[in-house]
Amino acid sequence: MGGGQEFEWKLGQMIMVGMLLMVGCFYAGTLYANNATIYASQLSSSSSPPSPGTSTFTNKIALTYRKTPPLIPETGINVCPLNLNEYIPCHDVAYVKTLLPSLDTNRREELERHCPPIEKRLFCLVPPPKDYKKPIRWPTSRDYVWRSNVNHTHLAEVKGGQNWVHPKDQFWWFPGGGTHFKHGAPEYIQRLGDMITNGTGDLRSAGVSQVLDVGCGVASFSAFLLALDIQTMSFAPKDGHENQIQFALERGIGAMISAIATKQMPYPSSSFEMVHCSRCRVDWHENDGILLKEVNRLLRSNGYFVYSAPPAYRKDKDYPIIWEKLMNLTSAMCWKLIARKVQTAIWIKQDDLSCLQHNSEQKLVDLCDAGDDSKSSWNTQLRNCIQVRGAQSDSPKLPSRPERLSVYSESLSGKGVTQEVFSLDTAFWQDQVQHYWRLLNVNKTEIRNVMDMNAFCGGFAVALNDSPTWVMNIVPASMSNTLSAIYNRGLIGAFHDWCEPFSTYPRTYDLLHANHLFSHYKNRGRQGCVMADILLEMDRMIRPQGFIIIRDAETITARIQDLAPKFLWEVESHTLENIEKKPETVLI
């Protein structure tokens, strides 16, 4: 799906086959014998014949590693031991420790993704923890989640005074506080709006629709921005702040594990009107400000950098020296400090090419060589320079949401995606999502966290906009960069390579959508890209009783239908019409 011609061929020439699978997570209610009330409806009685599509495999509990080629036992995929219920392959602390001598710890490289070689990856189903319960649904989950689902007390102990999270009977309670807004995110958000607009408006009226929250904690800032219809990509590393991203996702807030250290963030250039750092534990002033230059890449013209941290207000220790360095760096990048109040400083990224050229001539900042800024920023080293965007690549003036959802980006035309193809894609997914809801036959509040694993132009996410969901739009790094166009529609997402596991905790999505994903990776010739690897990662990410929708060539979906029961997935068959009004199979 790298361009318009390929996309049209897939729509017009191939009869696509769709799959909709329910992840039964039988092992949660049988092998570990806990939380049986959740899974009772899915378990077959030993005295009754199995219903169609129900697993009859006797999966074993065993610590199993990936073989080449992958080996799937006749009894089904083994289930990992219970102590591995939070296994994150590319953020495995034990594995990263073995790499420390070769990592630049001064730049916190150890916090970035480090995927083990294929033979050291686990090849077993990650089980839920003891007493795991079906997640509380949105919007209640914004404030309360089950303690048993994220059974870690460290954050409550060290951040309780800042109102991040408190224990409350069998729940975790999130009062909405943060390190620099312990009295609540709403008051803090309004204060930021007042600072930017001189008291005349809020963040939305200041033109903010998309925010990147660096070191987001439990993502309360993002949670309360939703009231302004502001979409936030929240991220934090897997570090001493134990399981903060797991808390965020359990609450139903868009977030992922990531760190800003030595590589570019997996987001397109010029995608956010605001980058926010509230005591985010990033040394922006170090290494010639290379991390600030990455922020500059991510910010749209006239976007804001919000910095709530001690150097912005404290006069003791080394804070004045740090502040002076920050002022020198931001001035060299032609940012303007527009507000400094209470504990927060706010800069605006000015659209001033003459300033940048002057500062470059004065050796205050380096300008990047002309390059292809349209390529995906996946596994790419940071650049210690400022990217000057040409007239053709400049971000358009975008409307606010929801009007932004309809924006067609001119950059798509260079990838063969015409306005007609874009509109066809949008209309197609509007229709398909209605069918999906009918086939799922669940209340819409049952689905909150959604991932589109091959998002193309974001049409699937747009079709879900009126539902109580958020969508992580993934554009495979080996495809054309359509993620910029997705961000221009007011949506969020990331680049990723599905030959590797994703940067998230287990059990974090209610629905996974994979449209022609397996076809793309079928002949990649890389380890970790085979069907079983991707299915295993999908099983790790999906919540018990979650749903998976797969659309692909019939030979691929037939093979997945054979494999699904070995992953303890239920499958049923239905028929829908494809874009050409021809019948195609949907497996549920």
Side-chain angles (χ1 to χ4, degrees), residues 276-341:
H276 174 256
C277 163
S278 175
R279 203 72 174 264
C280 62
R281 305 174 79 184
V282 174
D283 293 326
W284 302 106
H285 62 288
E286 297 287 4
N287 299 302
D288 198 29
I290 193 170
L291 301 183
L292 279 177
K293 291 163 187 172
E294 173 65 356
V295 170
N296 188 84
R297 181 185 74 84
L298 295 168
L299 276 175
R300 293 187 168 120
S301 294
N302 298 311
Y304 306 101
F305 177 59
V306 176
Y307 180 67
S308 296
Y313 61 91
R314 289 180 60 172
K315 304 298 182 184
D316 58 333
K317 300 181 180 179
D318 294 328
Y319 295 131
I321 297 174
I322 295 173
W323 177 256
E324 183 180 4
K325 288 183 178 180
L326 287 173
M327 287 301 299
N328 290 337
L329 289 166
T330 53
S331 296
M333 295 190 299
C334 300
W335 291 7
K336 180 182 179 182
L337 181 67
I338 60 171
R340 187 182 181 190
K341 185 178 180 181

Side-chain angles (χ1 to χ4, degrees), residues 9 47 61 115 123 237 265 324 336 354 445 463 500 569:
W9 174 77
S47 60
I61 300 173
C115 302
F123 196 75
M265 303 300 297
E324 183 180 4
K336 180 182 179 182
S354 61
T445 59
E500 300 177 1
W569 296 356

Side-chain angles (χ1 to χ4, degrees), residues 92-275:
D92 182 12
V93 174
Y95 175 67
V96 172
K97 283 183 178 179
T98 68
L99 304 178
L100 285 178
S102 63
L103 300 179
D104 188 347
T105 55
N106 289 328
R107 295 180 61 188
R108 306 310 306 273
E109 187 179 5
E110 72 276 10
L111 298 179
E112 295 180 321
R113 290 172 53 86
H114 299 284
C115 302
I118 198 75
E119 68 275 7
K120 291 187 178 181
R121 291 188 200 173
L122 294 185
F123 196 75
C124 48
L125 304 175
V126 176
K130 183 180 180 181
D131 297 326
Y132 180 84
K133 297 178 177 63
K134 189 173 183 179
I136 295 169
R137 291 307 173 186
W138 186 266
T140 306
S141 64
R142 187 195 71 177
D143 302 326
Y144 295 94
V145 303
W146 296 113
R147 288 187 66 177
S148 58
N149 288 10
V150 190
N151 194 16
H152 295 278
T153 61
H154 179 71
L155 271 183
E157 293 166 356
V158 301
K159 296 295 184 181
Q162 297 168 1
N163 283 326
W164 281 35
V165 58
H166 295 288
K168 194 170 186 179
D169 300 323
Q170 58 184 325
F171 305 105
W172 288 117
W173 171 46
F174 302 89
T179 303
H180 277 270
F181 44 94
K182 66 180 181 180
H183 298 299
E187 182 272 336
Y188 175 70
I189 290 168
Q190 184 56 53
R191 177 164 22 112
L192 297 182
D194 290 340
M195 291 174 68
I196 292 174
T197 66
N198 292 318
T200 63
D202 57 19
L203 291 180
R204 183 176 171 85
S205 65
V208 176
S209 289
Q210 287 156 289
V211 172
L212 181 66
D213 192 11
V214 182
C216 64
V218 295
S220 288
F221 181 66
S222 170
F224 286 91
L225 283 174
L226 289 172
L228 297 174
D229 197 17
I230 293 175
Q231 305 299 301
T232 306
M233 172 58 74
S234 299
F235 77 88
K238 190 175 186 294
D239 61 4
H241 282 170
E242 191 177 67
N243 296 69
Q244 51 192 326
I245 293 300
Q246 189 178 21
F247 276 115
L249 288 160
E250 186 72 14
R251 298 174 72 186
I253 302 168
M256 64 182 289
I257 302 170
S258 194
I260 182 167
T262 70
K263 294 183 175 65
Q264 290 183 353
M265 303 300 297
Y267 318 121
S269 300
S270 300
S271 292
F272 302 97
E273 284 93 9
M274 176 181 286
V275 174

